């Protein structure tokens, strides 16, 4: 039994004035709609939830004056709210609770009693809030699994900023059972990390959407304040125009046939009671017809010059499950599909008009999974069993994939691990820790359909004590003695890791090679933790290029300069210059540059600088350029010049200068400003 605060002396119940209630509703309309939207069941889909939330609030205004409850405590519950607002809040929550128990009737498009549309009504459009990132997707999934009192308590604690006891009072007034238990459950959701999924960036679960470099993962309370949960900030898409036209034609045809059948039936002995057989699918139905899926023969990968996703056969235990396949096709083809949709940078979020190819259909970790590929985009559709929860669709660019970047797809993501679907040309699979170059790896088991056991993934935000990677070997039927490394960066396709050693004098630079040799593993062991900043950016491959080796002052050994270039599926690249001092310590960043061709075959001339402290305690500015740099200059707080690709100058501690490298033709390259 909860304790209630005593009424203030002289406080008495008073009537709710309808005009004042209307003013409060108009002032706090968006606030009330958002509150209701968060509490409604996810099974409605986003379009119907938006309309239902607006409808509940618009119908909350009483037709006559009502009795207001007496105020308890100084100022009453809520932050800066009037008694009229609190009464409206209770009314909308009662209505939301009533609709939660009968979600299939929300919202009714027509009021049969009045003979008029039940407002708000939207014809010919689907409306939905802005799609959020991984944190929002994970929070929405957690709220979908919670009951109505818990969702409502969570919304009151976050959106209304109510204390726990007042939250329980509001729940009790709205008709919720066991409000104190609901508040306790909501507080568990508010705990840091309670709804986060390490290794995933929100949600969208590969929603592809991870935290950008330098940002923290949102707390659940911050995620609830995102536009994802704002039903007043909406996007609109048309319903299926072809299907709408088809329905109109079908209706007209049906009326004509009905008129004809009525006359013909009079002359039939049985009164015309013959069943009518449905015709074949036409129009937009073809876009969701399982028969339209492309399927590759099982052994095509071994006899083709194009070894990518087009060579994948359809695998899994549900490749003939037409209803499942057509639900996946409908989710991909229909922009107004009400499930959870997420897309990685640059990827389409709905069908591109190309016929998709079926790669996989089966059950993975308690969810049905369908993987499609349309030539440009890889699509993963998942749904819970027996309609429990919300289906999800995640898309990612895959244009130009090859034997390595089309070697695996993430089909399931759980806390701390993923399951991969491996390409049919993978002959061997294993895992290893990139931070332990001298250790032996483990064998990675997989099923006959190519589905692996759970693979550990790097956890974001930890102290980076390990960095798991997958080592795959291609079948000798397509290439001999070819092994390579992949790592999970939160996307649908793992990123390919490569390595470029320092080019010896007099030799031409070679293209990146696989990061499987001793030197490559030793180099990646010191730079692997820098990969954490690449999560959720749609990274296709990361190359570790050793562009210079420099002797340190005071005979302190040698340093290595590395450019780590991340190429994305959409094209732009990101580079981070790294300084590896003597010993085996982790690399230090010497600057990051976005959207650049540096450190690629179109940008082979580079220079970088950093500060360094010698064992004696003396501070230095160090700089190094690639092989074509013939002179290095430092400008700014420190002015220094050195012939050749290296510079080492004592630093008085006034900050880092800008470093400029001169090329033989007089052109210059500049370091990242710091």
């Amino acid at each position: 039994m909860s304790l209630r605060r005593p009424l203030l002396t002289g406080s008495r119940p008073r009537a709710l004035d309808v005009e004042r209630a209307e003013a409060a509703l108009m002032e706090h309309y968006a606030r009330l709609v958002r509150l209701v939207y968060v509490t409604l069941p996810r099974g409605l889909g986003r379009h119907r939830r938006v309309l239902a939330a607006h409808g509940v609030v618009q119908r909350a205004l009483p037709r006559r004056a009502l009795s207001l409850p007496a105020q308890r405590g100084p100022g009453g519950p809520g932050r800066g709210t009037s008694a009229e607002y609190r009464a409206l809040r209770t009314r909308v929550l009662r209505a939301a609770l009533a609709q939660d128990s009968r979600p299939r009737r929300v919202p009714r498009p027509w009021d049969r009693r009045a003979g008029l549309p039940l407002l708000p009504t939207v014809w010919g459009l689907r409306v939905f809030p802005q799609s959020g990132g991984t944190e929002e997707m994970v929070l929405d999934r957690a709220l979908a699994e919670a009951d109505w009192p818990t969702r409502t308590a969570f919304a009151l604690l976050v959106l209304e900023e109510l204390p726990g006891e007042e939250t329980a009072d509001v729940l009790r007034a709205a008709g919720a059972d066991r409000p104190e238990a609901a508040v306790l459950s909501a507080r568990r959701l508010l705990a840091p990390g309670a709804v986060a999924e390490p290794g995933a960036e929100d949600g969208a679960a590969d929603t592809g959407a991870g935290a950008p470099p330098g940002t923290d993962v949102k707390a659940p309370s911050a995620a609830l304040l995102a536009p994802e949960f704002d039903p007043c900030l909406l996007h609109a898409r048309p319903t299926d125009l072809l299907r709408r036209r088809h329905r109109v034609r079908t209706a007209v045809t049906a009326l004509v046939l009905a008129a004809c059948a009525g006359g013909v039936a009079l002359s039939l002995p049985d009164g015309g009671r013959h069943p009518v057989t449905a015709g074949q699918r036409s129009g937009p139905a073809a876009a969701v017809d399982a028969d339209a899926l492309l399927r590759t023969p099982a052994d095509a990968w071994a006899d083709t010059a194009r070894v990518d996703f087009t060579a994948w056969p359809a695998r899994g235990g549900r490749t003939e499950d037409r209803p499942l396949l057509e639900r996946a096709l409908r989710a991909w083809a229909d922009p107004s599909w009400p499930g959870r949709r997420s897309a990685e940078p640059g990827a389409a979020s709905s069908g591109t008009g190309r016929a998709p190819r079926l790669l996989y259909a089966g059950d993975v970790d308690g969810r049905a999974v369908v993987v499609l590929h349309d030539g440009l985009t890889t699509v993963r559709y998942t749904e819970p069993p027996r309609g429990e929860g919300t289906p999800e669709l995640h898309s990612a660019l895959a244009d130009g994939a090859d034997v390595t970047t089309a070697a695996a797809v993430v089909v399931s993501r759980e806390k701390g691990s993923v399951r991969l679907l491996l390409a049919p040309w993978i002959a061997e699979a294993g895992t290893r820790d990139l931070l332990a170059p001298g250790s032996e790896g483990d064998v990675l088991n997989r099923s006959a359909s190519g589905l692996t056991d759970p693979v550990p993934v790097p956890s974001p935000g930890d102290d980076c004590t390990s960095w798991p990677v997958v080592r795959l070997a291609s079948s000798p039927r397509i290439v001999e003695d070819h092994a390579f490394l992949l790592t999970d960066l939160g996307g649908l396709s793992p990123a390919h890791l490569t390595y470029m050693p320092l080019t010896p004098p007099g030799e031409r630079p070679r293209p990146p090679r696989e990061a499987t040799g001793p030197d490559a593993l030793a180099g990646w062991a010191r730079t692997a933790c820098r990969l954490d900043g690449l999560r959720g950016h749609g990274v296709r491959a990361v190359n570790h290029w050793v562009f210079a080796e420099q002797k340190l002052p005071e005979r302190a050994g040698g340093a290595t300069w590395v450019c780590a270039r991340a190429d994305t599926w959409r094209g732009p690249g990101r580079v981070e210059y790294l300084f590896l001092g003597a010993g085996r310590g982790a690399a230090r960043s010497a600057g990051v540059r976005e959207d650049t061709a540096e450190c690629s075959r179109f940008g082979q001339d580079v220079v970088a600088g950093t500060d360094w402290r010698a064992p004696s305690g003396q501070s230095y500015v160090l700089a190094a350029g690639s092989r074509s740099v013939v002179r290095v200059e430092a400008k700014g707080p420190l002015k220094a010049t050195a012939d050749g690709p290296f510079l080492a100058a004592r630093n008085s501690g006034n900050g880092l200068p800008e470093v400029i490298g001169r090329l033989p033709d007089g052109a210059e390259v500049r370091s990242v400003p710091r």
Side-chain angles (χ1 to χ4, degrees):
M1 180 175 180
S2 62
L3 297 176
R4 295 177 175 269
R5 296 196 201 106
L7 295 176
L8 292 180
T9 304
S11 62
R12 298 178 180 275
R14 61 182 179 85
L16 170 64
D17 183 81
V18 176
E19 292 185 359
R20 295 184 65 177
E22 181 182 12
L25 188 145
M26 296 302 295
E27 180 183 357
H28 300 289
Y29 179 82
R31 182 173 166 185
L32 289 169
V33 172
R34 189 177 191 130
L35 179 65
V36 174
Y37 180 79
V38 172
T39 67
L40 287 175
R42 270 53 181 169
L44 293 174
R46 291 189 295 173
H47 173 79
R48 295 179 66 204
R49 279 174 63 200
V50 167
L51 296 185
H54 283 272
V56 164
V57 176
Q58 290 178 16
R59 290 188 290 276
L61 198 65
R63 298 179 184 273
R64 56 183 176 81
L66 297 176
S67 176
L68 283 175
Q71 177 177 307
R72 294 184 291 104
R79 47 180 176 86
T81 59
S82 64
E84 287 76 17
Y85 172 79
R86 296 195 295 273
L88 290 173
R89 181 176 62 195
T90 301
R91 287 176 63 86
V92 300
L93 291 179
R94 284 175 182 166
L97 174 59
Q99 294 191 349
D100 181 75
S101 62
R102 48 183 174 87
R104 293 186 181 275
R105 297 178 57 190
V106 183
R108 295 175 296 164
W110 198 265
D111 189 341
R112 294 184 178 88
R113 293 176 297 179
L116 296 172
L118 189 62
L119 299 179
T121 299
V122 177
W123 299 90
L125 286 176
R126 288 278 180 177
V127 294
F128 48 89
Q130 174 180 326
S131 296
T134 305
E135 293 84 3
E136 288 82 4
M137 183 178 68
V138 173
L139 174 60
D140 195 55
R141 183 185 299 176
L143 292 175
E145 296 172 354
D147 56 13
W148 184 88
T150 300
R151 291 197 300 268
T152 306
F154 187 87
L156 291 170
L157 291 169
V158 176
L159 301 178
E160 297 291 285
E161 300 180 4
L162 294 182
E165 184 179 350
E166 293 178 5
T167 298
D169 288 344
V170 174
L171 289 173
R172 187 179 296 105
D177 297 329
R178 303 180 62 202
E180 289 80 8
V183 173
L184 183 60
S185 298
R187 289 197 183 280
R188 293 195 188 103
L189 290 178
L190 279 170
V195 296
E197 289 185 358
E201 284 69 90
D202 165 30
D206 294 328
T207 32
T215 62
D216 296 328
V217 176
K218 297 178 185 175
S221 57
L224 192 65
L225 301 176
E228 164 84 359
F229 298 99
D230 187 354
C232 294
L233 184 63
L234 300 173
H235 291 269
R237 295 288 186 275
T239 55
D240 195 320
L241 301 178
L242 293 177
R243 184 179 303 169
R244 189 193 310 171
R245 185 186 304 170
H246 180 67
R247 287 173 176 171
V248 172
R249 291 176 178 173
T250 301
V252 173
T253 303
L255 290 174
V256 174
L257 291 177
C260 296
V264 173
L266 297 177
S267 63
L268 294 176
D270 62 353
R273 294 185 295 273
H274 289 295
V276 179
T277 303
Q280 294 181 344
R281 299 187 178 195
S282 61
V288 296
D289 188 349
D291 292 335
L293 281 170
L294 302 178
R295 297 178 185 240
T296 302
D299 292 330
W301 62 269
D303 192 24
T304 179
R306 183 177 178 182
V307 185
D308 57 13
F309 286 116
T310 62
W312 280 45
R315 292 174 291 172
R318 301 182 67 175
T319 55
E320 303 302 326
D321 188 337
R322 290 183 62 92
L324 171 63
L325 299 179
E326 292 184 351
R327 289 195 295 273
L329 288 170
R330 186 174 296 108
W332 174 234
D334 185 1
S336 61
W337 175 70
R340 301 255 346 162
R341 189 189 301 273
S342 59
E344 295 181 21
S349 59
S350 59
T352 58
R354 298 174 177 83
R357 185 181 309 274
L358 178 61
L359 305 185
Y360 181 84
D363 294 321
V364 185
D365 294 334
R367 293 178 71 92
V369 179
V370 177
V371 182
L372 307 173
H373 177 70
D374 71 353
L376 291 177
T377 311
T378 305
V379 180
R380 182 186 64 206
Y381 169 84
T382 67
E383 65 178 28
R386 299 180 297 279
E388 301 171 0
T390 304
E392 299 176 4
L393 185 85
H394 185 79
S395 56
L397 276 178
D399 185 24
D402 56 23
V403 65
T404 57
T405 51
V409 170
V410 176
V411 294
S412 175
R413 186 178 293 277
E414 299 291 336
K415 184 176 181 180
S417 67
V418 297
R419 285 186 188 268
L420 301 176
L421 182 65
L422 300 183
W425 58 82
I426 297 302
E428 299 176 7
T431 61
R432 65 174 305 135
D433 183 2
L434 205 55
L435 300 189
S439 63
E440 295 292 332
D442 298 321
V443 174
L444 179 59
N445 296 319
R446 51 181 165 153
S447 67
S449 62
L451 187 66
T452 69
D453 288 348
V455 179
V457 297
S459 298
D462 64 6
D463 54 359
C464 195
T465 56
S466 67
W467 194 277
V469 295
V470 176
R471 184 185 187 277
L472 304 178
S474 302
S475 169
R477 296 174 66 180
I478 60 170
V479 60
E480 298 218 1
D481 194 21
H482 178 233
F484 53 96
L485 298 184
L486 301 179
T487 189
D488 177 73
L489 293 179
L492 197 54
S493 295
H496 179 207
L497 301 182
T498 56
Y499 174 76
M500 281 181 63
L502 183 68
T503 303
E507 295 187 14
R508 299 185 60 183
R510 295 177 55 188
R513 62 189 67 176
E514 300 301 348
T516 53
D519 292 341
L521 293 174
W524 269 111
R526 301 183 65 183
T527 59
C529 292
R530 307 303 304 179
L531 293 170
D532 191 62
L534 300 175
R535 296 177 188 274
H537 287 253
V539 174
R540 171 179 179 167
V542 186
N543 182 44
H544 174 114
W545 173 34
V546 180
F547 67 87
E549 290 181 348
Q550 181 180 15
K551 292 183 178 179
L552 294 173
E554 302 182 12
R555 298 183 180 181
T560 303
W561 292 87
V562 171
C563 180
R565 177 178 175 84
D567 288 309
T568 63
W569 286 100
R570 66 190 186 279
R574 173 190 185 271
V575 300
E576 181 174 21
Y577 293 96
L578 301 171
F579 175 78
L580 284 65
R584 298 183 180 180
R588 290 174 50 203
S589 179
V592 175
R593 184 167 278 148
E594 304 279 354
D595 299 335
T596 178
E598 291 179 13
C599 306
S600 71
R601 58 177 177 151
F602 304 108
Q604 300 180 22
D605 300 321
V606 299
V607 68
T610 189
D611 59 333
W612 176 78
R613 188 172 297 277
S616 65
Q618 175 63 48
S619 178
Y620 287 85
V621 169
L622 302 180
S626 54
R627 56 186 291 164
S628 297
V629 173
V630 296
R631 187 178 179 85
V632 179
E633 302 172 1
K635 293 185 177 181
L638 172 70
K639 291 180 173 56
T641 302
D643 291 331
F646 303 112
L647 180 146
R650 294 176 182 268
N651 189 10
S652 59
N654 294 323
L656 285 175
E658 181 183 16
V659 177
I660 300 173
R662 299 288 179 182
L663 304 180
D665 60 358
E668 64 181 34
V669 290
R670 293 176 177 266
S671 65
V672 178
R674 300 181 67 194

